[in-house]
Amino acid sequence: MAEVIFKQLRKTYSNGFEAVHGIDLKIEDGEFMVIVGPSGCAKSTTLRMLAGLESISGGEIRIGDRVVNPLPPKDRGIAMVFQNYALYPHMTVRENLAFGLKLSRLPKAEIERQVSDAARMLELEDLLDRLPRQLSGGQAQRVAVGRAIVKKPDVFLFDEPLSNLDAKLRASMRVRISDLHRQLRQSGRPATSVYVTHDQTEAMTMGDRICVMKLGHIMQVDTPDKLYRYPRNMFVAGFIGAPEMNIRPTELVHENGTLGLRVGGSVFTLPAAVAAKVAAHGAQDVHYGIRPEFVSVSIAKPNGESAQGRLLRVENMGHEFYLYISVDDGEIISRMSAEHASDVVVNGLGQTVYFQFESRQCHVFDTSTQENISL
Ligand code: ADP
């Protein structure tokens, strides 16, 4: 069992700055947990405390059945993969992979077996005699992952491991690391993984669950699907998803027993179940949130509730378009398939357009607490 538990974990740096404000988190045995958030939210500080590279100022860290607070990194059963690979430059790939095993005085044959296992898993067999400077970034990062694997740790720690790679390589390494985690799980060697990134795409595609942080606090811990569909607050709603959720101030309109949102001079009625939750909360000052894929745009006035805006900008992504509509004093983004957007796009920028919300998909946030009051 190698679950990881933070209890009221705190970090105050020596200059008095409190970077982590007493967080609680339970990572299950064998789980792939991604810690994500913008720069400065303390994800690295948190990971480094778990690794034992940074002292903790309060609370407790458990790995498996041990409190590891006083233990040095080497006694915590962890292996870490860093952004800058941290390979030994004067050693070949083979020697880099074998180094930790030699230190632990394993028999030579066993070391060779484990190195070749890792090399096979990560397709490094043809590179074993090269030095790190003879490797591409992607290859070097694979060696770094291999070096972690041969340690057979209880917990893998990844600190932004893909940040130095170009977009294409990042995408293929994402898949490779996820596959590896699955392989280890299937082979009966499940390894708990804690993966830190600022990139929400990595978080969404790799995490069994995602822990979203902001300024040293945890905002939400959930599966990718739940975070996307049921963000608990404005921060998570805005952080997860690209293009971002449209989040704007609005006015609640009570009319004939229904509750609606005023947008661009029109009112979009909320479904009864959502309206009931929002009304029960009682907030007056609110923002609405709607993901771009639930905003559709047309030239002709559609049936049903719609509002007017002006087409400001179009981004062609090939299979879909992002349409930027000016409304009130701001912008709304719509994400439409190329097929559905083509009418709007050919008519050109600057023209008046109509847009509709799939109101079932609307979120309502209390402006003062930023909490999602429509869940
Ligand atoms: P992230 O990894 O999310 O970008 P960090 O964990 O690196 O964030 O940093 C969290 C906060 O702690 C930031 O405000 C950063 O400036 C601060 N910080 C990091 N290291 C130190 C340090 N050694 N002394 C003081 N403050 C630090």
Side-chain angles (χ1 to χ4, degrees), residues 188-206:
R189 264 172 63 194
T192 311
S193 296
V194 187
Y195 186 106
V196 158
T197 179
H198 63 276
D199 179 350
Q200 61 96 26
T201 309
E202 275 174 31
M204 288 295 284
T205 53
M206 299 176 82

PDB file of all heavy atoms in Angstrom, residues 188-206:
ATOM      1  N   GLY A 188       0.737  -5.733 -11.947  1.00  0.00           N
ATOM      2  CA  GLY A 188       0.684  -5.990 -10.512  1.00  0.00           C
ATOM      3  C   GLY A 188       1.677  -5.163  -9.711  1.00  0.00           C
ATOM      4  O   GLY A 188       1.957  -5.459  -8.559  1.00  0.00           O
ATOM      5  N   ARG A 189       2.246  -4.138 -10.355  1.00  0.00           N
ATOM      6  CA  ARG A 189       3.182  -3.250  -9.651  1.00  0.00           C
ATOM      7  C   ARG A 189       2.639  -1.829  -9.660  1.00  0.00           C
ATOM      8  O   ARG A 189       3.305  -0.918 -10.126  1.00  0.00           O
ATOM      9  CB  ARG A 189       4.522  -3.221 -10.405  1.00  0.00           C
ATOM     10  CG  ARG A 189       5.577  -4.156  -9.889  1.00  0.00           C
ATOM     11  CD  ARG A 189       6.769  -4.153 -10.848  1.00  0.00           C
ATOM     12  NE  ARG A 189       7.444  -2.862 -10.959  1.00  0.00           N
ATOM     13  CZ  ARG A 189       8.316  -2.561 -11.913  1.00  0.00           C
ATOM     14  NH1 ARG A 189       8.596  -3.426 -12.859  1.00  0.00           N
ATOM     15  NH2 ARG A 189       8.902  -1.404 -11.940  1.00  0.00           N
ATOM     16  N   PRO A 190       1.403  -1.617  -9.207  1.00  0.00           N
ATOM     17  CA  PRO A 190       0.816  -0.285  -9.343  1.00  0.00           C
ATOM     18  C   PRO A 190       1.668   0.736  -8.613  1.00  0.00           C
ATOM     19  O   PRO A 190       2.103   0.496  -7.490  1.00  0.00           O
ATOM     20  CB  PRO A 190      -0.555  -0.419  -8.684  1.00  0.00           C
ATOM     21  CG  PRO A 190      -0.425  -1.569  -7.754  1.00  0.00           C
ATOM     22  CD  PRO A 190       0.582  -2.496  -8.371  1.00  0.00           C
ATOM     23  N   ALA A 191       1.975   1.840  -9.290  1.00  0.00           N
ATOM     24  CA  ALA A 191       2.784   2.877  -8.659  1.00  0.00           C
ATOM     25  C   ALA A 191       1.943   4.131  -8.543  1.00  0.00           C
ATOM     26  O   ALA A 191       1.393   4.606  -9.527  1.00  0.00           O
ATOM     27  CB  ALA A 191       4.020   3.144  -9.505  1.00  0.00           C
ATOM     28  N   THR A 192       1.831   4.612  -7.348  1.00  0.00           N
ATOM     29  CA  THR A 192       1.150   5.879  -7.143  1.00  0.00           C
ATOM     30  C   THR A 192       1.983   6.957  -7.828  1.00  0.00           C
ATOM     31  O   THR A 192       3.200   6.954  -7.713  1.00  0.00           O
ATOM     32  CB  THR A 192       1.060   6.147  -5.627  1.00  0.00           C
ATOM     33  OG1 THR A 192       0.555   4.962  -5.010  1.00  0.00           O
ATOM     34  CG2 THR A 192       0.166   7.316  -5.314  1.00  0.00           C
ATOM     35  N   SER A 193       1.322   7.831  -8.573  1.00  0.00           N
ATOM     36  CA  SER A 193       2.070   8.887  -9.260  1.00  0.00           C
ATOM     37  C   SER A 193       1.508  10.247  -8.906  1.00  0.00           C
ATOM     38  O   SER A 193       0.285  10.422  -8.871  1.00  0.00           O
ATOM     39  CB  SER A 193       1.986   8.714 -10.782  1.00  0.00           C
ATOM     40  OG  SER A 193       2.595   7.509 -11.169  1.00  0.00           O
ATOM     41  N   VAL A 194       2.401  11.181  -8.646  1.00  0.00           N
ATOM     42  CA  VAL A 194       1.985  12.551  -8.383  1.00  0.00           C
ATOM     43  C   VAL A 194       2.690  13.410  -9.414  1.00  0.00           C
ATOM     44  O   VAL A 194       3.925  13.418  -9.489  1.00  0.00           O
ATOM     45  CB  VAL A 194       2.354  13.002  -6.957  1.00  0.00           C
ATOM     46  CG1 VAL A 194       1.764  14.371  -6.671  1.00  0.00           C
ATOM     47  CG2 VAL A 194       1.894  11.989  -5.930  1.00  0.00           C
ATOM     48  N   TYR A 195       1.918  14.090 -10.231  1.00  0.00           N
ATOM     49  CA  TYR A 195       2.437  14.751 -11.420  1.00  0.00           C
ATOM     50  C   TYR A 195       2.064  16.226 -11.368  1.00  0.00           C
ATOM     51  O   TYR A 195       0.884  16.575 -11.309  1.00  0.00           O
ATOM     52  CB  TYR A 195       1.791  14.071 -12.631  1.00  0.00           C
ATOM     53  CG  TYR A 195       2.296  14.500 -13.980  1.00  0.00           C
ATOM     54  CD1 TYR A 195       3.117  13.662 -14.725  1.00  0.00           C
ATOM     55  CD2 TYR A 195       1.934  15.728 -14.540  1.00  0.00           C
ATOM     56  CE1 TYR A 195       3.566  14.033 -15.986  1.00  0.00           C
ATOM     57  CE2 TYR A 195       2.385  16.111 -15.795  1.00  0.00           C
ATOM     58  CZ  TYR A 195       3.195  15.254 -16.514  1.00  0.00           C
ATOM     59  OH  TYR A 195       3.643  15.629 -17.761  1.00  0.00           O
ATOM     60  N   VAL A 196       3.071  17.083 -11.339  1.00  0.00           N
ATOM     61  CA  VAL A 196       2.822  18.517 -11.233  1.00  0.00           C
ATOM     62  C   VAL A 196       2.955  19.187 -12.596  1.00  0.00           C
ATOM     63  O   VAL A 196       3.914  18.932 -13.318  1.00  0.00           O
ATOM     64  CB  VAL A 196       3.834  19.138 -10.239  1.00  0.00           C
ATOM     65  CG1 VAL A 196       4.005  20.617 -10.472  1.00  0.00           C
ATOM     66  CG2 VAL A 196       3.396  18.868  -8.809  1.00  0.00           C
ATOM     67  N   THR A 197       1.990  20.004 -12.947  1.00  0.00           N
ATOM     68  CA  THR A 197       2.057  20.731 -14.214  1.00  0.00           C
ATOM     69  C   THR A 197       1.220  22.010 -14.128  1.00  0.00           C
ATOM     70  O   THR A 197       0.322  22.107 -13.302  1.00  0.00           O
ATOM     71  CB  THR A 197       1.545  19.860 -15.384  1.00  0.00           C
ATOM     72  OG1 THR A 197       1.607  20.611 -16.592  1.00  0.00           O
ATOM     73  CG2 THR A 197       0.116  19.397 -15.183  1.00  0.00           C
ATOM     74  N   HIS A 198       1.555  22.985 -15.007  1.00  0.00           N
ATOM     75  CA  HIS A 198       0.687  24.168 -15.098  1.00  0.00           C
ATOM     76  C   HIS A 198      -0.254  24.004 -16.295  1.00  0.00           C
ATOM     77  O   HIS A 198      -1.078  24.862 -16.555  1.00  0.00           O
ATOM     78  CB  HIS A 198       1.532  25.438 -15.264  1.00  0.00           C
ATOM     79  CG  HIS A 198       2.315  25.427 -16.544  1.00  0.00           C
ATOM     80  ND1 HIS A 198       3.534  24.796 -16.663  1.00  0.00           N
ATOM     81  CD2 HIS A 198       2.024  25.913 -17.765  1.00  0.00           C
ATOM     82  CE1 HIS A 198       3.957  24.911 -17.909  1.00  0.00           C
ATOM     83  NE2 HIS A 198       3.065  25.571 -18.605  1.00  0.00           N
ATOM     84  N   ASP A 199      -0.117  22.876 -16.999  1.00  0.00           N
ATOM     85  CA  ASP A 199      -0.787  22.703 -18.289  1.00  0.00           C
ATOM     86  C   ASP A 199      -2.072  21.896 -18.101  1.00  0.00           C
ATOM     87  O   ASP A 199      -2.043  20.710 -17.796  1.00  0.00           O
ATOM     88  CB  ASP A 199       0.199  21.965 -19.215  1.00  0.00           C
ATOM     89  CG  ASP A 199      -0.386  21.696 -20.589  1.00  0.00           C
ATOM     90  OD1 ASP A 199      -1.601  21.910 -20.774  1.00  0.00           O
ATOM     91  OD2 ASP A 199       0.363  21.246 -21.460  1.00  0.00           O
ATOM     92  N   GLN A 200      -3.194  22.557 -18.310  1.00  0.00           N
ATOM     93  CA  GLN A 200      -4.458  21.867 -18.037  1.00  0.00           C
ATOM     94  C   GLN A 200      -4.725  20.718 -19.016  1.00  0.00           C
ATOM     95  O   GLN A 200      -5.429  19.782 -18.681  1.00  0.00           O
ATOM     96  CB  GLN A 200      -5.617  22.857 -17.952  1.00  0.00           C
ATOM     97  CG  GLN A 200      -5.890  23.647 -19.191  1.00  0.00           C
ATOM     98  CD  GLN A 200      -6.973  23.030 -20.018  1.00  0.00           C
ATOM     99  OE1 GLN A 200      -7.830  22.326 -19.516  1.00  0.00           O
ATOM    100  NE2 GLN A 200      -6.934  23.278 -21.306  1.00  0.00           N
ATOM    101  N   THR A 201      -4.122  20.768 -20.195  1.00  0.00           N
ATOM    102  CA  THR A 201      -4.304  19.642 -21.131  1.00  0.00           C
ATOM    103  C   THR A 201      -3.628  18.398 -20.574  1.00  0.00           C
ATOM    104  O   THR A 201      -4.185  17.295 -20.616  1.00  0.00           O
ATOM    105  CB  THR A 201      -3.702  19.968 -22.512  1.00  0.00           C
ATOM    106  OG1 THR A 201      -4.202  21.228 -22.922  1.00  0.00           O
ATOM    107  CG2 THR A 201      -4.044  18.919 -23.531  1.00  0.00           C
ATOM    108  N   GLU A 202      -2.404  18.560 -20.052  1.00  0.00           N
ATOM    109  CA  GLU A 202      -1.730  17.418 -19.424  1.00  0.00           C
ATOM    110  C   GLU A 202      -2.572  16.897 -18.267  1.00  0.00           C
ATOM    111  O   GLU A 202      -2.755  15.694 -18.100  1.00  0.00           O
ATOM    112  CB  GLU A 202      -0.343  17.829 -18.895  1.00  0.00           C
ATOM    113  CG  GLU A 202       0.722  17.773 -19.949  1.00  0.00           C
ATOM    114  CD  GLU A 202       2.072  18.312 -19.468  1.00  0.00           C
ATOM    115  OE1 GLU A 202       2.391  18.191 -18.275  1.00  0.00           O
ATOM    116  OE2 GLU A 202       2.776  18.887 -20.312  1.00  0.00           O
ATOM    117  N   ALA A 203      -3.088  17.813 -17.471  1.00  0.00           N
ATOM    118  CA  ALA A 203      -3.885  17.400 -16.313  1.00  0.00           C
ATOM    119  C   ALA A 203      -5.101  16.606 -16.767  1.00  0.00           C
ATOM    120  O   ALA A 203      -5.375  15.509 -16.266  1.00  0.00           O
ATOM    121  CB  ALA A 203      -4.322  18.627 -15.508  1.00  0.00           C
ATOM    122  N   MET A 204      -5.813  17.129 -17.763  1.00  0.00           N
ATOM    123  CA  MET A 204      -7.059  16.494 -18.197  1.00  0.00           C
ATOM    124  C   MET A 204      -6.802  15.136 -18.838  1.00  0.00           C
ATOM    125  O   MET A 204      -7.593  14.215 -18.697  1.00  0.00           O
ATOM    126  CB  MET A 204      -7.786  17.400 -19.210  1.00  0.00           C
ATOM    127  CG  MET A 204      -8.413  18.625 -18.604  1.00  0.00           C
ATOM    128  SD  MET A 204      -9.749  18.247 -17.465  1.00  0.00           S
ATOM    129  CE  MET A 204     -11.075  17.819 -18.594  1.00  0.00           C
ATOM    130  N   THR A 205      -5.688  15.012 -19.589  1.00  0.00           N
ATOM    131  CA  THR A 205      -5.487  13.771 -20.323  1.00  0.00           C
ATOM    132  C   THR A 205      -4.789  12.690 -19.497  1.00  0.00           C
ATOM    133  O   THR A 205      -4.911  11.517 -19.795  1.00  0.00           O
ATOM    134  CB  THR A 205      -4.658  14.010 -21.610  1.00  0.00           C
ATOM    135  OG1 THR A 205      -3.469  14.700 -21.243  1.00  0.00           O
ATOM    136  CG2 THR A 205      -5.418  14.837 -22.613  1.00  0.00           C
ATOM    137  N   MET A 206      -4.056  13.092 -18.450  1.00  0.00           N
ATOM    138  CA  MET A 206      -3.257  12.091 -17.735  1.00  0.00           C
ATOM    139  C   MET A 206      -3.832  11.690 -16.383  1.00  0.00           C
ATOM    140  O   MET A 206      -3.604  10.577 -15.919  1.00  0.00           O
ATOM    141  CB  MET A 206      -1.839  12.621 -17.524  1.00  0.00           C
ATOM    142  CG  MET A 206      -1.137  12.915 -18.828  1.00  0.00           C
ATOM    143  SD  MET A 206       0.479  13.647 -18.578  1.00  0.00           S
ATOM    144  CE  MET A 206       1.448  12.187 -18.265  1.00  0.00           C
TER     145      MET A 206
END
